[in-house]
Amino acid sequence: MSRAAIWFTHALFGVCLTAAHPGLELGMEQLNGEIAGSPRDAELYLKRGELYAQHEDPVQAEANFLRAAELSPALPGLRQSRGQLALAQRQFSEALVHLNQALVEEPTNTSAQILRARVYTALKNIPAALADYAAASSRLTSVHPELVLEHARILPPSEALQHLDRALTQIGYVPALLNQAIAIALSLGLTDEALRWLDHAVSTSERPELGLKRRGDILAAAGRRPEAIKAYLNAQKAINNLPPWLRESPEITQLSSELSRLTASQS
Amino acid sequence: MHYPRLLQPALLLALILASPSIDAATTVVRGPYLQIPTPTSMVVRWRTDTTEPSVVSFGTDRTQLTQVSRAEGVTAEHVVELVGLKPATKYFYSVGGVAVPPPAAGKKAGAEDAPGRASLYNFTTPPPVGPAQPTRIWVLGDPGTKGATQAAVRDAYNKFNGKNSTDLVLLLGDNAYPDGTDADYQKAIFEMYPQTLATVPFWSTLGNHDGKSANSATQSGVYYDIFTLPTRAQAGGVVSGTEAYYSFDYANTHFICLDSHDSERSANSPMMQWLKSDLIATQRDWIIAFFHHPTYTKGTHDSDKDSDSAGRMNDMRALFLPVLEQGGVDLVLTGHSHVYERSWLLDGHYGKSETFNAANHLKQKVSGRADGDGVYRKPRARSPHFGEINVVTGSAGHASSKPVPLNHPAFFLSLNEAGSSIVDVNGLKMEFTFLNEQGVKRDWFTIVKE
C-alpha cells in the first residue's frame, strides 16, 4: 500500500477504529493529545503505532511508524517494531530488513534476535534461525518454555532431544518440554530415555497416578508387559494413597477401573 | 561482627533511627515487599538509593532480630530469601546494609532498644500446605491509576479489614498505568500500599498495560524485574519454567495464575499443557484461577467482540475455561474491564453471550447468599463441571467514566463502581465480598463444599 493510501485510510477509519476498542481509545486519547502538543516528536508516533499494532490494526500501525521514520529514521525501537509488525503480517522479507537493521543498531537486542529467528524459520533459513535462537538464549537468565520449543522444533530429532534435555535440567520439568521430549524419544524408539524423563516428573508429583499410568502405556506399547503391569499396579497404589474425597471422585473412579482393565489385558 | 557491650543499645537505636534504612548514608526508596511465601521461606525485596549489601535481620521476638540472611554482592535492588522459617509464625524483620546487632548476652533488649516502627516490619509465614486454615485474600484488579479513587478503594479495604490479618494480595494486572514503567509502579504500587507490601505477600498476573514495559518471552522488563515469582513450583503446584504463569498453594487452596496477555494461548501451548498438568496434580480443596482478561464482560470491554483485546478474552473463555472447569475450578478472578461483574454458578458456557442458556449453563440458580436464597453447594470430591463463579473485578483504580452496557446474561450482578474484592477461605467454606470505594459491601456470596 502506498504511503498516501495509508494516510488516507488512517484519516478515514481512525475514529471508527478507536471507538471500537476501549483500551485503544484510552491510550489513543492520551497520545493524540501529546502529539497535538509535540507534532514532531517521533517517539510519540512510535508509541501510537505500537498501540495500534497491539490491537491488530496494521494499517494504522504502519502509518504511524512511517511518520516516526520520517521524523527520526534511527529512532531506537522503531526498526524492531516495524519488523515485528511485518512478521505478524507474514511479510517475512520486509521483516528481515527491519530486524537486520535493528540488530545492527543494537547487536545485543534479544527481543529483535528472537523475532529474526522466527523470520528465518518462516523463510526456511534454518541455520540462521538456529544461530539467532542460540545467541538470544545465551543472553537470557531464564528461557521461556515457548522459546525452547520453538528452537527444538527446527532441530533434527536427536539434537532436539539434547536441547530439550538441557532445558529440562536448567529450567525444570516443564510439562510442555517433557511431553515433547517423550514424544521425540518414543518416535526414535528410545523407550528408556522417555521413561527416564517421565519417572523424574512422577517422582516429584503430588498426584503420580496419571504419570504411572502413562508409564504403563509406554511399556505396553513397547511390548514390555511385566513392567507395564507393574506400572499400572503402582498407579493403583497411588490412587489408594489419595485422600478419600479425591479417591472417590468420578474421574479417579474411572481411572481405577481403566487400570484394572489394562492390568488384565497385559496379564 | 562484635560490638562492645555498653555500646549496643545506643548503637542499635542509632541504627534504627536512621530509618527507613539501617545505614544513614543510604535510603530505602522502595519496599520492603514480600514475595513467594512458603511455610518455611520468604523472599524480601527492597530498593535503596545507593548500592550496599543486602541484609535482613529477623526473629520471632520484635526485640531480638537474632537471625540474619544476606544476599551476595552489593546492589541497590535487594533480594534476600529467608529460609528455615517455621510455618504459621509471625516474624519481625528489618532491612539494611548491615545486620541489626543482637542484644547483650543474657539481657533482653528494652523497648527503647527495639527497632523503631519505621524500620521494623513483620510478616506471618503461610501455614502448612494441605490442612485448612482461615485465609483472607485481598483482590485488586487494574488498581494502578495512582489517583484518589485507588486510594479510596485501599482505605475502604483497610477500614473493612480492621485489625484482621490479610494473608495474600492478588494483583490482577494493569497494576501501574499507563505503561507499567518503573516510575508508574513506584507511584501506583509502592507508594500506594507501603504498609501492606511490607507485611503481606503480593502475587501478580500480567496485564496489557504492564505488558507495555515487559516481555514474557524473554522474561524481561519492569514487571519481571519487580516481581519474584515461582518458575520451579517453589510454593506448590507444577513447574511452569516461567514467571509469566505459575501456581502456588496456601493452606487448602490452590492458586493458578495464567498469562492472558503475552504468552501463547493456543490449545497446545506450553501454558495450556502446564495448566492441565497442574490441575491434575493438586490435592487442595479449593482452586482459584486468576488472570487479566475476563472470560465474560460487558463493561469497558466486550467479550463478544473478537477484535476487542485482540481476541484474548475469546481465548480465555473458549480454550482455557473448559480446561479449568474440567479441573474443578471454583473461582475465576479477572480484571481488564473497569467494572464489577459476578456470575451465577456456571459451567459450559464458552461462546458469545447470545449462546448463553440458563437451562444449560447455570448449575444452581441462586444468589449464593446465606441471607438470601441460599449459598452455592459443591461436592468436596474433585469433580469436573460442578460450576464456578467468574468475577470481573477490574475497578480497584477506577470505574468507567462512561455508561457501559453491563448486560451479559452470565452475570448475577454487574456494577459500574470502583472497589476491590475479598475472598475468605475457611475450611470448606469460601466467602466472597465486593467492597466499593465508599466501603459499602455491594456483593457477597458463599460456596460451601460438602
Side-chain angles (χ1 to χ4, degrees):
Chain A
M1 188 182 287
S2 72
R3 284 178 51 192
I6 289 169
W7 277 105
F8 175 75
T9 313
H10 185 176
L12 186 64
F13 294 115
V15 175
C16 304
L17 286 165
T18 54
H21 310 297
L24 183 60
E25 192 180 355
L26 287 171
M28 198 58 60
E29 217 169 87
Q30 188 187 336
L31 278 171
N32 287 344
E34 290 177 27
I35 288 172
S38 309
R40 299 194 63 77
D41 186 338
E43 201 162 331
L44 294 174
Y45 292 97
L46 171 59
K47 273 189 174 180
R48 194 162 70 176
E50 286 172 343
L51 192 56
Y52 276 119
Q54 281 169 18
H55 289 268
E56 298 188 348
D57 186 345
V59 176
Q60 299 283 348
E62 181 61 11
N64 279 275
F65 291 153
L66 280 172
R67 181 67 180 139
E70 271 179 359
L71 293 168
S72 176
L75 181 68
L78 179 58
R79 287 291 192 166
Q80 182 182 327
S81 292
R82 295 187 75 182
Q84 187 164 9
L85 181 68
L87 174 60
Q89 296 300 109
R90 303 183 62 78
Q91 294 164 354
F92 302 122
S93 300
E94 190 182 337
L96 188 58
V97 171
H98 291 306
L99 293 167
N100 279 340
Q101 188 57 34
L103 285 159
V104 167
E105 290 165 6
E106 192 187 352
T108 56
N109 181 339
T110 306
S111 299
Q113 197 140 31
I114 292 167
L115 290 170
R116 194 172 69 176
R118 290 171 183 161
V119 171
Y120 279 135
T121 302
L123 292 170
K124 306 218 181 303
N125 185 347
I126 302 305
L130 290 173
D132 271 353
Y133 276 125
S137 300
S138 71
R139 284 197 294 274
L140 293 171
T141 49
S142 173
V143 184
H144 195 291
E146 286 173 17
L147 276 186
V148 176
L149 286 175
E150 279 180 35
H151 192 167
R153 278 190 203 110
I154 57 172
L155 286 165
S158 57
E159 288 178 41
L161 264 189
Q162 289 172 12
H163 179 69
L164 290 164
D165 194 23
R166 279 194 300 274
L168 286 164
T169 306
Q170 283 166 9
I171 66 175
Y173 277 69
V174 176
L177 306 186
L178 189 69
N179 292 338
Q180 184 70 5
I182 290 172
I184 294 174
L186 291 176
S187 74
L188 295 173
L190 302 172
T191 304
D192 288 323
E193 273 298 273
L195 292 176
R196 179 171 66 84
W197 285 310
L198 183 59
D199 289 349
H200 190 284
V202 167
S203 70
T204 55
S205 174
E206 243 186 294
R207 298 276 306 272
E209 65 273 11
L210 278 178
L212 289 166
K213 176 188 173 288
R214 191 176 178 188
R215 185 177 218 283
D217 292 343
I218 291 171
L219 287 162
R224 291 158 62 170
R225 289 184 165 205
E227 291 170 273
I229 291 169
K230 192 177 171 191
Y232 291 140
L233 291 173
N234 283 338
Q236 190 60 60
K237 274 186 200 164
I239 288 175
N240 295 341
N241 288 333
L242 290 173
W245 64 273
L246 266 177
R247 193 170 59 233
E248 290 156 14
S249 68
E251 283 199 320
I252 295 297
T253 307
Q254 193 182 337
L255 176 64
S256 189
S257 304
E258 196 184 347
L259 286 167
S260 300
R261 183 184 61 75
L262 288 166
T263 306
S265 73
Q266 294 297 315
S267 299
Chain B
M1 189 177 291
H2 180 73
Y3 298 93
R5 190 168 175 156
L6 286 173
L7 279 180
Q8 280 186 15
L11 179 59
L12 179 59
L13 191 60
L15 287 168
I16 296 309
L17 288 177
S19 68
S21 166
I22 296 292
D23 183 344
T26 304
T27 302
V28 175
V29 294
R30 172 176 291 181
Y33 60 106
L34 306 169
Q35 301 279 276
I36 314 191
T38 79
T40 57
S41 67
M42 184 74 75
V43 172
V44 182
R45 296 191 57 165
W46 71 100
R47 175 185 286 179
T48 46
D49 60 343
T50 58
T51 58
E52 67 173 9
S54 310
V55 183
V56 178
S57 305
F58 63 102
T60 54
D61 183 332
R62 63 182 293 129
T63 64
Q64 298 194 59
L65 308 185
T66 52
Q67 294 173 268
V68 175
S69 280
R70 294 180 171 84
E72 284 184 16
V74 172
T75 180
E77 294 290 344
H78 306 275
V79 184
V80 177
E81 185 177 19
L82 316 185
V83 296
L85 307 178
K86 293 176 189 163
T89 301
K90 186 172 186 174
Y91 282 88
F92 297 90
Y93 74 100
S94 187
V95 301
V98 295
V100 171
K107 180 190 169 193
K108 195 172 180 179
E112 67 276 18
D113 302 327
R117 284 185 184 180
S119 63
L120 181 69
Y121 310 97
N122 68 80
F123 62 78
T124 300
T125 48
V129 170
Q133 174 84 12
T135 306
R136 169 157 288 185
I137 305 136
W138 185 26
V139 184
L140 293 163
D142 306 65
T145 54
K146 311 165 186 165
T149 305
Q150 185 184 5
V153 169
R154 174 200 62 197
D155 296 343
Y157 172 74
N158 286 338
K159 191 173 174 192
F160 170 87
N161 193 49
K163 291 189 183 302
N164 295 312
S165 65
T166 303
D167 299 297
L168 302 169
V169 176
L170 301 184
L171 295 172
L172 302 183
D174 286 3
N175 307 323
Y177 290 101
D179 297 327
T181 63
D182 191 77
D184 290 335
Y185 262 93
Q186 185 67 21
K187 291 279 179 202
I189 295 295
F190 294 104
E191 292 176 17
M192 187 60 71
Y193 311 109
Q195 285 83 16
T196 312
L197 282 158
T199 53
V200 184
F202 275 49
W203 294 94
S204 183
T205 187
L206 184 77
N208 49 301
H209 285 267
D210 309 299
K212 290 181 179 184
S213 301
N215 183 330
S216 291
T218 57
Q219 300 281 280
S220 63
V222 174
Y223 175 90
Y224 291 107
D225 290 342
I226 284 176
F227 293 106
T228 303
L229 300 167
T231 61
R232 288 177 169 265
Q234 295 98 313
V238 165
V239 173
S240 70
T242 171
E243 290 181 294
Y245 48 89
Y246 57 87
S247 61
F248 64 95
D249 292 319
Y250 190 100
N252 63 336
T253 304
H254 186 63
F255 293 84
I256 296 172
C257 170
L258 298 175
D259 174 12
S260 60
H261 178 66
D262 201 26
S263 289
E264 189 191 336
R265 297 180 303 279
S266 70
N268 196 37
S269 62
M271 181 160 70
M272 182 68 90
Q273 292 185 54
W274 168 79
L275 174 63
K276 288 176 179 173
S277 299
D278 189 71
L279 284 164
I280 288 168
T282 186
Q283 288 193 35
R284 306 289 85 79
D285 290 314
W286 296 98
I287 299 176
I288 298 176
F290 63 104
F291 43 91
H292 186 63
H293 293 85
T295 46
Y296 318 109
T297 185
K298 287 283 186 181
T300 60
H301 288 272
D302 185 346
S303 57
D304 281 348
K305 284 186 178 162
D306 294 332
S307 58
D308 191 336
S309 308
R312 291 178 174 87
M313 292 183 286
N314 273 355
D315 292 344
M316 298 315 289
R317 183 182 63 250
L319 298 176
F320 283 85
L321 191 56
V323 174
L324 287 165
E325 290 184 342
Q326 178 70 24
V329 70
D330 299 296
L331 180 64
V332 176
L333 299 167
T334 57
H336 194 48
S337 201
H338 302 148
V339 292
Y340 173 79
E341 298 170 297
R342 191 266 282 187
S343 77
W344 303 88
L345 191 74
L346 295 180
D347 181 70
H349 177 46
Y350 311 130
K352 303 286 169 60
S353 62
E354 73 264 16
T355 66
F356 182 80
N357 180 329
N360 292 339
H361 301 133
L362 294 196
K363 299 302 287 186
Q364 292 163 40
K365 196 174 182 182
V366 294
S367 64
R369 295 174 176 172
D371 55 355
D373 53 4
V375 303
Y376 299 117
R377 296 184 184 280
K378 293 180 72 174
R380 188 183 187 195
R382 178 73 47 73
S383 305
H385 304 294
F386 267 87
E388 84 286 345
I389 302 291
N390 288 260
V391 179
V392 182
T393 177
S395 60
H398 64 95
S400 175
S401 56
K402 296 172 185 171
V404 283
L406 296 178
N407 60 353
H408 199 295
F411 291 119
F412 165 77
L413 180 68
S414 301
L415 301 168
N416 184 18
E417 293 182 23
S420 62
S421 295
I422 301 118
V423 183
D424 288 302
V425 179
N426 193 350
L428 297 180
K429 184 165 79 171
M430 175 189 285
E431 292 178 304
F432 184 98
T433 303
F434 175 69
L435 193 69
N436 75 7
E437 64 182 302
Q438 276 92 41
V440 179
K441 199 172 154 181
R442 295 288 280 125
D443 187 28
W444 61 96
F445 66 86
T446 302
I447 306 174
V448 173
K449 292 201 172 181
E450 45 197 17

